[in-house]
Amino acid sequence: MGGLGTIANPGYPVRVAIAVMTTIFGVGFCLGWAPISHIVAAEIPSARLRDATYSFGSAFNILVGFIFGSFAVLAILFSYFCVPECKGKSLEEIDELFARGVSLRKFNETTMRRVEIEEKI
């Protein structure tokens, strides 16, 4: 997956292969290593510490999930409000939109004439 991700301009089959490998990794992790933490926390400690160890591990796992989820929500908000839609625009057009002070939310709606761009260059 990592090697395929280094290809400069990947075609459709390469993108599909990356998606398939990501899915296989997720399934393999869930069926293999992911449950190991529960087994180790429940079986390795002494009987006196077993409940406390498993409870601490579960609480820590939930805490990490909340931290990850919070950052994921912040990343979604950042992407929505701070990353403009640049589909179908050249780098010169994007530079011109920033130079004009066009709102990030209006990048997609604003049309540029090629003549304007070529005159600037």
Side-chain angles (χ1 to χ4, degrees):
M1 176 177 37
L4 290 175
T6 62
I7 296 173
N9 191 7
Y12 181 74
V14 173
R15 292 192 308 254
V16 168
I18 291 171
V20 167
M21 288 179 191
T22 304
T23 304
I24 291 171
F25 170 78
V27 169
F29 183 71
C30 289
L31 294 176
W33 289 103
I36 296 294
S37 62
H38 295 281
I39 295 169
V40 169
E43 298 294 329
I44 298 299
S46 65
R48 187 174 62 86
L49 295 175
R50 189 167 290 144
D51 287 339
T53 303
Y54 193 77
S55 298
F56 177 76
S58 295
F60 188 77
N61 189 26
I62 291 169
L63 176 67
V64 169
F66 277 114
I67 293 170
F68 173 77
S70 300
F71 278 105
V73 167
L74 291 175
I76 289 169
L77 292 173
F78 175 81
S79 298
Y80 182 77
F81 290 111
C82 299
V83 179
E85 175 61 55
C86 298
K87 180 179 168 185
K89 301 212 181 311
S90 68
L91 293 176
E92 292 80 14
E93 290 173 324
I94 294 168
D95 283 343
E96 181 64 25
L97 289 169
F98 277 119
R100 285 186 186 180
V102 175
S103 168
L104 295 177
R105 303 281 18 115
K106 297 189 183 210
F107 263 43
N108 197 28
E109 302 168 7
T110 306
T111 56
M112 304 285 297
R113 294 183 321 171
R114 290 281 179 196
V115 175
E116 292 175 3
I117 301 299
E118 291 171 3
E119 288 174 1
K120 296 278 182 183
I121 298 175

